[in-house]
């Protein structure tokens, strides 16, 4: 396949929503011709620097182009496996993050009440002295465990390292309990390994792809979307299960518009059908399965007719889809999804997805789920972290949720509110916008009122920064070094993040902030190097690579190791039985269902609709709202509503409405998008809009915040993930 073809498909896949979402109907900025993007033939001296993208968490390698020393454009790095030489619209718009006029420019300290958004500009010395002094007084009174870290994204590495070196034991990212946690736990319980990122789905070679929600094409994880576009071009059957006619659904052979929250019924019925009709991989099950007979006995009673009633899709469609994907095994994937925290029982749904894949025998198979390989890069010798005799308060040590294997943001929040198991008095927030990312912002506010110290390190005045005592302005990823990226995939690879341009104001790179803080906390020895380049260079050279070449190429790709049985891989399963656990003794012992059981979701109360959320191709959550290029592409979100529902409510297409939830929370005004592309019993909007911080001038008040409407959430009893799709809403017309 030629790259031009692929590129066309790539654009076509994402165009579906991007075009529709762009207000005003004009082609979105990133799709206009090269000249409009500023890609006119260069004048002046052009230089290039490779680095990797942080516009989302896919970490694509790109090449920044400078014209006369000024940042001009950012393109894919052909050597990089995550970008395969192309960036998605958000990556291309990274230039806008550097030039964003709303950026934080210097450290700020709060004057007046917390959350009052009154600030004075201070020097770095003053800001960091204050943070260190407050941290030390919390340590003196309560111990270092009473300072917690919330972090997300790649830049957090040294911030976390310094805080843990100082004694912090509670730390969490929303990418676990608010995102992929249930999926990774569901897969670990079944196969002994989580899914990880990038997802090892061999879409490139698959003969059939089943998507449960996963809205590829709106979810723009770059290389995955490129492979999906190629798969569509190859005309493989795509099966999409989604209450909404997503971009992926528009490319599908079968679309199953299930009633929201009923996926587990469908998945169990599919398992039942495969078992009854003998359409599963007997050899795989015999060789690698544990407890298959008990599993089979349990699932064989789930029929398409039963699932049809729960899911509100015809039984014939359920059967046809199952026979279609089963006929392609093992080169068939039921995609594990990524943001799976939908209803609070998500680990068991993810486990059902894992079990369905196991029945297809696609684990470690070409066209199925391959087994990722990594790269070995030597470590830099750093002192070990001190030990604490206190338990973790972040729920990450499985006390509170037996199968949690990472820290849980909301457990830290709960501990801050309750003071149990001990008081939490300081929050250090690095690169996560907790006001939007966590459920029920009122609880976040309640917790923050109990703090003696709230530090936020961000690039822009996010909503959480509005609550800070001290705001530390980070550089954007284009202006700094970070830790070395060691990635997993078909090949292991390492990538370098390095400064492309100088920060425009008094912003400082995260590693520098961490080191300065370490010195003030009296633990400077935990970062035993003057400059991070020294650290990175040592790691690279010790690993047998050339630093200068790495700086020039940006990527080191490890030699290929087998990732599938076809390539000679020996399968291993790190479960208690050493096998694929169709029946989970672990779950049974902990008092949970060893095979997932279905509970019907609560129906919306009379006159209410379920609120579901997802992604727009041209934004990443709140982090791109003030990026001028992406703001231009999509300045606000819309609420999707079915014509029949809209007619009942008297709502017209494109009209402004407000979303009101069951607890009386009313959103900013938001345009209605009246469309057949969604079921009648739910509405849909993209998450990340509706910023509240006044300093975010371009984006404040634009669109509705889905985070603010998520006041009613359930917590997954297995591992602590919090649900997002549990709210019922009405649309209120503007007076
Ligand atoms: N452009 C862009 N891409 C991104 C991101 C971004 O911010 N912007 N974020 C990245 C991140 S961190 C993540 S985690 C991923 C998330 O991306 P995905 O893992 O694809 O997220 P989903 O939860 O599957 O996406 C929501 C989809 O699920 C559907 N849905 C809602 N409720 C139900 C239901 O009950 N059943 C079924 N079957 N479907 C339902 C919605 O209609 C929508 O199409 O995207 C990544 N990619
Ligand atoms: N209601 C609802 N809630 C959700 C979701 C949903 O779909 N709906 N999705 C969930 C998912 S999948 C995820 S992954 C999480 C995402 O949650 P977050 O990671 O909190 O999402 P962002 O909005 O990207 O917030 C990141 C913050 O980091 C800042 N930032 C960006 N780059 C840098 C940098 O280089 N340095 C520093 N210091 N800061 C930086 C941004 O300005 C922004 O304030 O949200 C979860 N919460
Ligand atoms: S998927 Fe897009 S935004 Fe995410 S890292 Fe890659 S290019 Fe950047
Ligand atoms: Mo996520």
């Amino acid at each position: 396949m030629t790259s031009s073809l692929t590129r066309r498909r790539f654009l076509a896949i994402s165009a579906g929503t991007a075009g529709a979402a762009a207000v005003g109907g004009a082609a979105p900025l990133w799709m206009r011709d090269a000249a409009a993007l500023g890609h006119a033939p260069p004048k002046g001296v052009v230089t290039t620097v490779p680095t990797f993208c942080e516009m989302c968490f896919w970490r694509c390698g790109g090449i920044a182009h400078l014209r006369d020393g000024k940042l001009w454009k950012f393109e894919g790095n052909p050597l990089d496996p995550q970008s395969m030489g192309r960036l998605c619209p958000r990556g291309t718009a990274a230039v806008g993050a550097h030039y964003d006029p709303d950026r934080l420019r210097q450290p700020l300290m709060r004057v007046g009440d917390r959350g009052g958004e009154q600030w004075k500009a201070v020097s770095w010395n003053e800001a960091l002295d204050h943070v260190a002094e407050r941290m030390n007084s919390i340590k003196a009174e309560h111990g270092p465990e009473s300072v917690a870290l919330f972090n997300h994204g790649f830049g957090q590495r040294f911030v976390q390292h310094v805080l843990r070196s100082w004694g912090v034991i509670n730390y969490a990212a929303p990418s676990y309990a608010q995102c992929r946690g249930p999926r990774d736990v569901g897969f670990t319980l079944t196969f002994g390994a989580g899914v990880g990122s990038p997802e090892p789905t061999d879409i490139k070679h698959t003969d059939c792809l089943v998507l449960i929600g996963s809205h590829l094409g709106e979810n723009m994880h770059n290389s995955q979307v490129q492979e999906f576009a190629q798969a569509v071009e190859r005309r493989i059957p795509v099966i999409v299960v989604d209450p909404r006619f997503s971009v992926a659904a528009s490319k599908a052979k079968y679309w199953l518009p299930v009633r929201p929250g009923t996926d587990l019924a469908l998945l169990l019925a599919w398992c039942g059908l495969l078992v009854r009709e003998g359409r599963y991989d007997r050899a795989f099950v015999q060789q690698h399965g544990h407890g298959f007979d008990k599993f089979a006995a349990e699932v064989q009673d789930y029929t398409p007719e039963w699932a049809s009633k729960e899911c509100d899709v015809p039984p014939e469609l359920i059967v046809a889809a199952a026979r279609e994907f089963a006929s392609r095994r093992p080169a068939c994937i039921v995609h594990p999804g990524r943001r799976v925290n939908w209803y609070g029982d998500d680990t068991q749904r993810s486990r059902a997805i894992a079990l369905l894949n196991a029945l297809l025998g696609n684990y470690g198979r070409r066209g199925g789920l391959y087994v990722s390989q990594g790269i070995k890069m030597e470590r830099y010798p750093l002192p070990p972290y001190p030990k604490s005799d206190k338990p973790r308060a972040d729920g990450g040590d499985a006390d509170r949720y037996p199968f949690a294997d990472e820290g849980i943001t909301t457990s830290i929040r709960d501990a801050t509110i309750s003071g149990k198991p001990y008081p939490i008095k300081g929050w250090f927030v690095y690169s996560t916008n907790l006001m939007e990312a966590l459920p029920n912002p009122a609880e976040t506010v309640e917790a923050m009122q109990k703090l003696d110290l709230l530090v936020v390190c961000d690039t822009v005045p996010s909503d959480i920064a509005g609550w800070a005592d001290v705001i530390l302005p980070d550089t954007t990823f284009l202006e700094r070094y970070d830790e070395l990226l060691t990635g997993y995939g078909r090949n292991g690879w390492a990538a370098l993040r390095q400064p492309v341009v100088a920060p425009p104001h008094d912003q400082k790179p995260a590693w520098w902030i961490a080191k300065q803080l370490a010195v003030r906390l009296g633990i400077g020895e935990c970062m035993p190097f003057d400059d991070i380049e020294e650290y990175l260079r040592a790691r690279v050279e010790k690993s047998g690579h050339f630093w200068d070449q790495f700086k020039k190429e940006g990527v080191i790709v490890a030699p290929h190791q087998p990732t599938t049985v076809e390539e000679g891989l020996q399968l291993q399963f790190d479960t208690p039985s050493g096998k694929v656990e169709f029946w989970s003794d672990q779950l049974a012992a902990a008092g949970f269902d060893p095979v997932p059981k279905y509970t019907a979701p609560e129906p919306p109360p009379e006159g209410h609709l379920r609120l579901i959320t997802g992604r727009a191709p041209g934004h990443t959550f709140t982090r791109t709202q003030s990026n001028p290029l992406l703001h231009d592409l999509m300045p606000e979100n819309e609420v999707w509503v079915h014509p029949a529902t809209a007619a009942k409510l008297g709502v017209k297409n494109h009209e402004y409405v407000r979303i009101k939830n069951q607890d009386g929370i009313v959103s900013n005004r938001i345009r209605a998008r009246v469309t057949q592309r969604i079921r009648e019993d739910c509405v849909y909007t993209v998450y990340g809009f509706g910023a509240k911080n006044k300093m975010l001038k371009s984006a404040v008040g634009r669109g509705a915040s889905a985070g603010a409407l998520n006041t009613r959430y359930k917590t997954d009893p297995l591992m602590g993930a919090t649900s997002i799709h549990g709210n019922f809403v009405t649309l209120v017309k503007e007076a």
Side-chain angles (χ1 to χ4, degrees), residues 404-415:
D405 51 8
E406 287 183 33
I408 296 162
T409 50
T410 33
S411 287
I412 297 179
R413 188 175 73 176
D414 293 346

Side-chain angles (χ1 to χ4, degrees), residues 84 95 187 193 208 220 225 342 417 431 444 494 525 608 642 710:
M84 306 197 284
V95 175
F187 271 68
C208 181
M220 279 304 273
V225 177
W342 294 346
I417 293 173
S431 189
T444 307
E525 69 282 359
H608 281 67
H642 188 273
N710 185 16

